[in-house]
Amino acid sequence: MFEEIYREARQRVVGLTMGLGAEELARPVPACPEWTVHQLIAHLAGGASDLVSGRMEGAPSDEWTARHVAERENVPVDDLLEQWNVAGEHIGEMERIPFQLALDAITHEADLRAALGRERLPGTVWQPTLVWMTPRRMPDVTVKTEFGDLGDGPITLEVDGYELWRAFFGRRSRGQMESWNWSGPAPIDKIPFFPPRATDLTE
């Protein structure tokens, strides 16, 4: 599953960003407040290149991702996309890729789409990963979404599936998660892989 998710995300992001002008490449990405569109692409290319070359020390820390951006600060976006394509082809030859790589790719694709004002990531992309993650992250919760129930825990949460999916990756604030329709104590700290945002993010 994750090999296909990663390959298709790379293809979509290349299609979204190839040929963007300087103004769009300099646009801030609200979900990654310290990055521009160009810097987000630099991270995607850098992460793939590091996996292929074995430069994984410190992953997935802020320092590791910051190095991707710093090393590619002056690299044209078309060259970054070519770097990502070359590394991606090598990754596609691996017997198994880290699931984190695939999840990172579609998370940043969603970030990118919001920054560029494009339509939201299709449900066929993020829903399978939500189904996979929810019982692992929230074993005490039954999550009721627009496409069915996930899990069988004693606490019930009624929430838009995309909102929960974005929250898993730190794209929603604690206040936003607490405002969801919980039937009991909300295990907020078990939701995000990364710390929640300090401010609300609406997409």
Side-chain angles (χ1 to χ4, degrees), residues 1-27:
M1 176 174 79
F2 294 110
E3 291 81 1
E4 182 179 1
I5 287 172
Y6 184 72
R7 182 182 67 254
E8 293 182 354
R10 178 166 55 86
Q11 293 169 349
R12 287 191 302 270
V13 171
V14 170
L16 282 169
T17 54
M18 186 175 292
L20 289 179
E23 182 179 349
E24 289 176 304
L25 291 171
R27 187 175 298 177

PDB file of all heavy atoms in Angstrom, residues 1-27:
ATOM      1  N   MET A   1       0.828  -1.211   0.000  1.00  0.00           N
ATOM      2  CA  MET A   1       0.000   0.000   0.000  1.00  0.00           C
ATOM      3  C   MET A   1       0.860   1.257   0.000  1.00  0.00           C
ATOM      4  O   MET A   1       0.612   2.202  -0.757  1.00  0.00           O
ATOM      5  CB  MET A   1      -0.923   0.003   1.217  1.00  0.00           C
ATOM      6  CG  MET A   1      -1.756   1.263   1.356  1.00  0.00           C
ATOM      7  SD  MET A   1      -2.979   1.206   2.694  1.00  0.00           S
ATOM      8  CE  MET A   1      -1.969   1.520   4.124  1.00  0.00           C
ATOM      9  N   PHE A   2       1.892   1.297   0.866  1.00  0.00           N
ATOM     10  CA  PHE A   2       2.647   2.529   1.033  1.00  0.00           C
ATOM     11  C   PHE A   2       3.536   2.840  -0.166  1.00  0.00           C
ATOM     12  O   PHE A   2       3.787   4.008  -0.464  1.00  0.00           O
ATOM     13  CB  PHE A   2       3.458   2.464   2.325  1.00  0.00           C
ATOM     14  CG  PHE A   2       2.588   2.433   3.547  1.00  0.00           C
ATOM     15  CD1 PHE A   2       2.480   1.289   4.318  1.00  0.00           C
ATOM     16  CD2 PHE A   2       1.831   3.535   3.901  1.00  0.00           C
ATOM     17  CE1 PHE A   2       1.654   1.254   5.428  1.00  0.00           C
ATOM     18  CE2 PHE A   2       1.007   3.518   5.011  1.00  0.00           C
ATOM     19  CZ  PHE A   2       0.914   2.365   5.774  1.00  0.00           C
ATOM     20  N   GLU A   3       4.010   1.805  -0.856  1.00  0.00           N
ATOM     21  CA  GLU A   3       4.798   2.049  -2.061  1.00  0.00           C
ATOM     22  C   GLU A   3       3.959   2.780  -3.103  1.00  0.00           C
ATOM     23  O   GLU A   3       4.412   3.747  -3.733  1.00  0.00           O
ATOM     24  CB  GLU A   3       5.314   0.718  -2.633  1.00  0.00           C
ATOM     25  CG  GLU A   3       6.369   0.032  -1.794  1.00  0.00           C
ATOM     26  CD  GLU A   3       5.794  -0.758  -0.614  1.00  0.00           C
ATOM     27  OE1 GLU A   3       4.550  -0.789  -0.459  1.00  0.00           O
ATOM     28  OE2 GLU A   3       6.591  -1.346   0.137  1.00  0.00           O
ATOM     29  N   GLU A   4       2.716   2.335  -3.277  1.00  0.00           N
ATOM     30  CA  GLU A   4       1.828   2.966  -4.247  1.00  0.00           C
ATOM     31  C   GLU A   4       1.460   4.383  -3.815  1.00  0.00           C
ATOM     32  O   GLU A   4       1.435   5.311  -4.644  1.00  0.00           O
ATOM     33  CB  GLU A   4       0.566   2.116  -4.413  1.00  0.00           C
ATOM     34  CG  GLU A   4      -0.415   2.661  -5.430  1.00  0.00           C
ATOM     35  CD  GLU A   4      -1.645   1.771  -5.565  1.00  0.00           C
ATOM     36  OE1 GLU A   4      -1.736   0.752  -4.851  1.00  0.00           O
ATOM     37  OE2 GLU A   4      -2.522   2.111  -6.373  1.00  0.00           O
ATOM     38  N   ILE A   5       1.181   4.562  -2.531  1.00  0.00           N
ATOM     39  CA  ILE A   5       0.843   5.893  -2.015  1.00  0.00           C
ATOM     40  C   ILE A   5       1.977   6.874  -2.303  1.00  0.00           C
ATOM     41  O   ILE A   5       1.754   7.996  -2.769  1.00  0.00           O
ATOM     42  CB  ILE A   5       0.550   5.821  -0.506  1.00  0.00           C
ATOM     43  CG1 ILE A   5      -0.809   5.151  -0.269  1.00  0.00           C
ATOM     44  CG2 ILE A   5       0.566   7.221   0.123  1.00  0.00           C
ATOM     45  CD1 ILE A   5      -1.091   4.871   1.194  1.00  0.00           C
ATOM     46  N   TYR A   6       3.201   6.430  -2.033  1.00  0.00           N
ATOM     47  CA  TYR A   6       4.347   7.330  -2.219  1.00  0.00           C
ATOM     48  C   TYR A   6       4.556   7.651  -3.691  1.00  0.00           C
ATOM     49  O   TYR A   6       4.738   8.825  -4.064  1.00  0.00           O
ATOM     50  CB  TYR A   6       5.602   6.688  -1.637  1.00  0.00           C
ATOM     51  CG  TYR A   6       6.811   7.591  -1.713  1.00  0.00           C
ATOM     52  CD1 TYR A   6       6.921   8.706  -0.891  1.00  0.00           C
ATOM     53  CD2 TYR A   6       7.848   7.335  -2.610  1.00  0.00           C
ATOM     54  CE1 TYR A   6       8.023   9.547  -0.963  1.00  0.00           C
ATOM     55  CE2 TYR A   6       8.956   8.164  -2.686  1.00  0.00           C
ATOM     56  CZ  TYR A   6       9.035   9.268  -1.859  1.00  0.00           C
ATOM     57  OH  TYR A   6      10.120  10.101  -1.942  1.00  0.00           O
ATOM     58  N   ARG A   7       4.516   6.647  -4.544  1.00  0.00           N
ATOM     59  CA  ARG A   7       4.751   6.873  -5.969  1.00  0.00           C
ATOM     60  C   ARG A   7       3.712   7.827  -6.551  1.00  0.00           C
ATOM     61  O   ARG A   7       4.054   8.775  -7.279  1.00  0.00           O
ATOM     62  CB  ARG A   7       4.703   5.536  -6.718  1.00  0.00           C
ATOM     63  CG  ARG A   7       4.979   5.679  -8.221  1.00  0.00           C
ATOM     64  CD  ARG A   7       4.873   4.370  -8.951  1.00  0.00           C
ATOM     65  NE  ARG A   7       3.520   3.840  -8.974  1.00  0.00           N
ATOM     66  CZ  ARG A   7       3.089   2.812  -8.252  1.00  0.00           C
ATOM     67  NH1 ARG A   7       3.913   2.181  -7.433  1.00  0.00           N
ATOM     68  NH2 ARG A   7       1.835   2.397  -8.348  1.00  0.00           N
ATOM     69  N   GLU A   8       2.456   7.617  -6.220  1.00  0.00           N
ATOM     70  CA  GLU A   8       1.401   8.453  -6.794  1.00  0.00           C
ATOM     71  C   GLU A   8       1.435   9.860  -6.227  1.00  0.00           C
ATOM     72  O   GLU A   8       1.136  10.830  -6.939  1.00  0.00           O
ATOM     73  CB  GLU A   8       0.049   7.785  -6.568  1.00  0.00           C
ATOM     74  CG  GLU A   8      -0.098   6.489  -7.363  1.00  0.00           C
ATOM     75  CD  GLU A   8      -1.452   5.828  -7.180  1.00  0.00           C
ATOM     76  OE1 GLU A   8      -2.244   6.309  -6.336  1.00  0.00           O
ATOM     77  OE2 GLU A   8      -1.718   4.832  -7.882  1.00  0.00           O
ATOM     78  N   ALA A   9       1.813  10.008  -4.942  1.00  0.00           N
ATOM     79  CA  ALA A   9       1.950  11.345  -4.362  1.00  0.00           C
ATOM     80  C   ALA A   9       3.048  12.127  -5.073  1.00  0.00           C
ATOM     81  O   ALA A   9       2.884  13.310  -5.383  1.00  0.00           O
ATOM     82  CB  ALA A   9       2.242  11.246  -2.873  1.00  0.00           C
ATOM     83  N   ARG A  10       4.166  11.460  -5.323  1.00  0.00           N
ATOM     84  CA  ARG A  10       5.268  12.129  -6.028  1.00  0.00           C
ATOM     85  C   ARG A  10       4.814  12.594  -7.409  1.00  0.00           C
ATOM     86  O   ARG A  10       5.099  13.727  -7.823  1.00  0.00           O
ATOM     87  CB  ARG A  10       6.458  11.166  -6.134  1.00  0.00           C
ATOM     88  CG  ARG A  10       7.652  11.732  -6.883  1.00  0.00           C
ATOM     89  CD  ARG A  10       8.892  10.888  -6.666  1.00  0.00           C
ATOM     90  NE  ARG A  10       8.689   9.486  -7.016  1.00  0.00           N
ATOM     91  CZ  ARG A  10       8.823   8.975  -8.235  1.00  0.00           C
ATOM     92  NH1 ARG A  10       9.134   9.784  -9.247  1.00  0.00           N
ATOM     93  NH2 ARG A  10       8.647   7.698  -8.471  1.00  0.00           N
ATOM     94  N   GLN A  11       4.095  11.762  -8.113  1.00  0.00           N
ATOM     95  CA  GLN A  11       3.626  12.132  -9.439  1.00  0.00           C
ATOM     96  C   GLN A  11       2.672  13.327  -9.384  1.00  0.00           C
ATOM     97  O   GLN A  11       2.759  14.244 -10.214  1.00  0.00           O
ATOM     98  CB  GLN A  11       2.948  10.931 -10.094  1.00  0.00           C
ATOM     99  CG  GLN A  11       3.907   9.792 -10.416  1.00  0.00           C
ATOM    100  CD  GLN A  11       3.203   8.512 -10.810  1.00  0.00           C
ATOM    101  OE1 GLN A  11       1.977   8.377 -10.666  1.00  0.00           O
ATOM    102  NE2 GLN A  11       3.953   7.550 -11.317  1.00  0.00           N
ATOM    103  N   ARG A  12       1.784  13.338  -8.409  1.00  0.00           N
ATOM    104  CA  ARG A  12       0.827  14.446  -8.292  1.00  0.00           C
ATOM    105  C   ARG A  12       1.533  15.744  -7.919  1.00  0.00           C
ATOM    106  O   ARG A  12       1.227  16.812  -8.464  1.00  0.00           O
ATOM    107  CB  ARG A  12      -0.257  14.118  -7.273  1.00  0.00           C
ATOM    108  CG  ARG A  12      -1.279  13.086  -7.741  1.00  0.00           C
ATOM    109  CD  ARG A  12      -2.463  13.035  -6.771  1.00  0.00           C
ATOM    110  NE  ARG A  12      -2.033  12.722  -5.412  1.00  0.00           N
ATOM    111  CZ  ARG A  12      -1.941  11.490  -4.917  1.00  0.00           C
ATOM    112  NH1 ARG A  12      -2.241  10.451  -5.668  1.00  0.00           N
ATOM    113  NH2 ARG A  12      -1.549  11.296  -3.659  1.00  0.00           N
ATOM    114  N   VAL A  13       2.464  15.673  -6.976  1.00  0.00           N
ATOM    115  CA  VAL A  13       3.162  16.889  -6.543  1.00  0.00           C
ATOM    116  C   VAL A  13       3.999  17.457  -7.677  1.00  0.00           C
ATOM    117  O   VAL A  13       4.045  18.680  -7.872  1.00  0.00           O
ATOM    118  CB  VAL A  13       4.030  16.606  -5.299  1.00  0.00           C
ATOM    119  CG1 VAL A  13       4.926  17.801  -4.987  1.00  0.00           C
ATOM    120  CG2 VAL A  13       3.142  16.304  -4.098  1.00  0.00           C
ATOM    121  N   VAL A  14       4.654  16.610  -8.436  1.00  0.00           N
ATOM    122  CA  VAL A  14       5.401  17.094  -9.604  1.00  0.00           C
ATOM    123  C   VAL A  14       4.454  17.817 -10.557  1.00  0.00           C
ATOM    124  O   VAL A  14       4.763  18.900 -11.066  1.00  0.00           O
ATOM    125  CB  VAL A  14       6.121  15.927 -10.305  1.00  0.00           C
ATOM    126  CG1 VAL A  14       6.684  16.380 -11.656  1.00  0.00           C
ATOM    127  CG2 VAL A  14       7.253  15.389  -9.430  1.00  0.00           C
ATOM    128  N   GLY A  15       3.281  17.242 -10.800  1.00  0.00           N
ATOM    129  CA  GLY A  15       2.311  17.885 -11.681  1.00  0.00           C
ATOM    130  C   GLY A  15       1.813  19.213 -11.139  1.00  0.00           C
ATOM    131  O   GLY A  15       1.573  20.156 -11.902  1.00  0.00           O
ATOM    132  N   LEU A  16       1.681  19.321  -9.808  1.00  0.00           N
ATOM    133  CA  LEU A  16       1.195  20.551  -9.186  1.00  0.00           C
ATOM    134  C   LEU A  16       2.226  21.673  -9.223  1.00  0.00           C
ATOM    135  O   LEU A  16       1.867  22.853  -9.301  1.00  0.00           O
ATOM    136  CB  LEU A  16       0.826  20.291  -7.719  1.00  0.00           C
ATOM    137  CG  LEU A  16      -0.501  19.589  -7.420  1.00  0.00           C
ATOM    138  CD1 LEU A  16      -0.552  19.182  -5.951  1.00  0.00           C
ATOM    139  CD2 LEU A  16      -1.672  20.511  -7.752  1.00  0.00           C
ATOM    140  N   THR A  17       3.501  21.318  -9.158  1.00  0.00           N
ATOM    141  CA  THR A  17       4.525  22.340  -8.928  1.00  0.00           C
ATOM    142  C   THR A  17       5.413  22.643 -10.125  1.00  0.00           C
ATOM    143  O   THR A  17       6.060  23.693 -10.158  1.00  0.00           O
ATOM    144  CB  THR A  17       5.429  21.921  -7.748  1.00  0.00           C
ATOM    145  OG1 THR A  17       5.960  20.608  -7.992  1.00  0.00           O
ATOM    146  CG2 THR A  17       4.634  21.889  -6.450  1.00  0.00           C
ATOM    147  N   MET A  18       5.456  21.762 -11.088  1.00  0.00           N
ATOM    148  CA  MET A  18       6.286  22.027 -12.265  1.00  0.00           C
ATOM    149  C   MET A  18       5.777  23.263 -12.996  1.00  0.00           C
ATOM    150  O   MET A  18       4.601  23.386 -13.295  1.00  0.00           O
ATOM    151  CB  MET A  18       6.288  20.818 -13.198  1.00  0.00           C
ATOM    152  CG  MET A  18       7.235  20.957 -14.380  1.00  0.00           C
ATOM    153  SD  MET A  18       7.298  19.445 -15.373  1.00  0.00           S
ATOM    154  CE  MET A  18       8.120  18.331 -14.234  1.00  0.00           C
ATOM    155  N   GLY A  19       6.662  24.194 -13.225  1.00  0.00           N
ATOM    156  CA  GLY A  19       6.294  25.397 -13.951  1.00  0.00           C
ATOM    157  C   GLY A  19       5.730  26.522 -13.103  1.00  0.00           C
ATOM    158  O   GLY A  19       5.324  27.553 -13.643  1.00  0.00           O
ATOM    159  N   LEU A  20       5.714  26.375 -11.771  1.00  0.00           N
ATOM    160  CA  LEU A  20       5.234  27.463 -10.925  1.00  0.00           C
ATOM    161  C   LEU A  20       6.158  28.669 -11.044  1.00  0.00           C
ATOM    162  O   LEU A  20       7.378  28.538 -11.176  1.00  0.00           O
ATOM    163  CB  LEU A  20       5.178  27.014  -9.457  1.00  0.00           C
ATOM    164  CG  LEU A  20       4.088  26.014  -9.065  1.00  0.00           C
ATOM    165  CD1 LEU A  20       4.209  25.679  -7.581  1.00  0.00           C
ATOM    166  CD2 LEU A  20       2.697  26.546  -9.377  1.00  0.00           C
ATOM    167  N   GLY A  21       5.589  29.858 -10.962  1.00  0.00           N
ATOM    168  CA  GLY A  21       6.372  31.076 -11.023  1.00  0.00           C
ATOM    169  C   GLY A  21       6.996  31.416  -9.682  1.00  0.00           C
ATOM    170  O   GLY A  21       6.703  30.804  -8.654  1.00  0.00           O
ATOM    171  N   ALA A  22       7.842  32.434  -9.690  1.00  0.00           N
ATOM    172  CA  ALA A  22       8.580  32.826  -8.487  1.00  0.00           C
ATOM    173  C   ALA A  22       7.647  33.227  -7.353  1.00  0.00           C
ATOM    174  O   ALA A  22       7.905  32.929  -6.181  1.00  0.00           O
ATOM    175  CB  ALA A  22       9.536  33.971  -8.820  1.00  0.00           C
ATOM    176  N   GLU A  23       6.558  33.902  -7.687  1.00  0.00           N
ATOM    177  CA  GLU A  23       5.629  34.346  -6.645  1.00  0.00           C
ATOM    178  C   GLU A  23       4.978  33.162  -5.940  1.00  0.00           C
ATOM    179  O   GLU A  23       4.872  33.141  -4.707  1.00  0.00           O
ATOM    180  CB  GLU A  23       4.548  35.237  -7.259  1.00  0.00           C
ATOM    181  CG  GLU A  23       3.555  35.784  -6.244  1.00  0.00           C
ATOM    182  CD  GLU A  23       2.503  36.684  -6.863  1.00  0.00           C
ATOM    183  OE1 GLU A  23       2.660  37.053  -8.045  1.00  0.00           O
ATOM    184  OE2 GLU A  23       1.530  37.013  -6.164  1.00  0.00           O
ATOM    185  N   GLU A  24       4.562  32.151  -6.706  1.00  0.00           N
ATOM    186  CA  GLU A  24       3.946  30.978  -6.096  1.00  0.00           C
ATOM    187  C   GLU A  24       4.965  30.167  -5.301  1.00  0.00           C
ATOM    188  O   GLU A  24       4.655  29.641  -4.224  1.00  0.00           O
ATOM    189  CB  GLU A  24       3.295  30.110  -7.167  1.00  0.00           C
ATOM    190  CG  GLU A  24       2.043  30.719  -7.771  1.00  0.00           C
ATOM    191  CD  GLU A  24       1.486  29.885  -8.889  1.00  0.00           C
ATOM    192  OE1 GLU A  24       2.238  29.608  -9.847  1.00  0.00           O
ATOM    193  OE2 GLU A  24       0.304  29.504  -8.822  1.00  0.00           O
ATOM    194  N   LEU A  25       6.190  30.078  -5.786  1.00  0.00           N
ATOM    195  CA  LEU A  25       7.212  29.315  -5.074  1.00  0.00           C
ATOM    196  C   LEU A  25       7.610  29.985  -3.769  1.00  0.00           C
ATOM    197  O   LEU A  25       8.048  29.312  -2.827  1.00  0.00           O
ATOM    198  CB  LEU A  25       8.452  29.147  -5.955  1.00  0.00           C
ATOM    199  CG  LEU A  25       8.271  28.226  -7.165  1.00  0.00           C
ATOM    200  CD1 LEU A  25       9.484  28.309  -8.077  1.00  0.00           C
ATOM    201  CD2 LEU A  25       8.042  26.784  -6.719  1.00  0.00           C
ATOM    202  N   ALA A  26       7.449  31.302  -3.689  1.00  0.00           N
ATOM    203  CA  ALA A  26       7.781  32.043  -2.473  1.00  0.00           C
ATOM    204  C   ALA A  26       6.607  32.127  -1.508  1.00  0.00           C
ATOM    205  O   ALA A  26       6.746  32.684  -0.409  1.00  0.00           O
ATOM    206  CB  ALA A  26       8.254  33.447  -2.837  1.00  0.00           C
ATOM    207  N   ARG A  27       5.488  31.561  -1.882  1.00  0.00           N
ATOM    208  CA  ARG A  27       4.289  31.653  -1.042  1.00  0.00           C
ATOM    209  C   ARG A  27       4.478  30.844   0.240  1.00  0.00           C
ATOM    210  O   ARG A  27       4.935  29.706   0.199  1.00  0.00           O
ATOM    211  CB  ARG A  27       3.075  31.139  -1.822  1.00  0.00           C
ATOM    212  CG  ARG A  27       1.744  31.335  -1.115  1.00  0.00           C
ATOM    213  CD  ARG A  27       0.606  30.912  -2.015  1.00  0.00           C
ATOM    214  NE  ARG A  27       0.556  31.719  -3.237  1.00  0.00           N
ATOM    215  CZ  ARG A  27      -0.308  31.510  -4.221  1.00  0.00           C
ATOM    216  NH1 ARG A  27      -1.178  30.516  -4.144  1.00  0.00           N
ATOM    217  NH2 ARG A  27      -0.298  32.296  -5.284  1.00  0.00           N
TER     218      ARG A  27
END
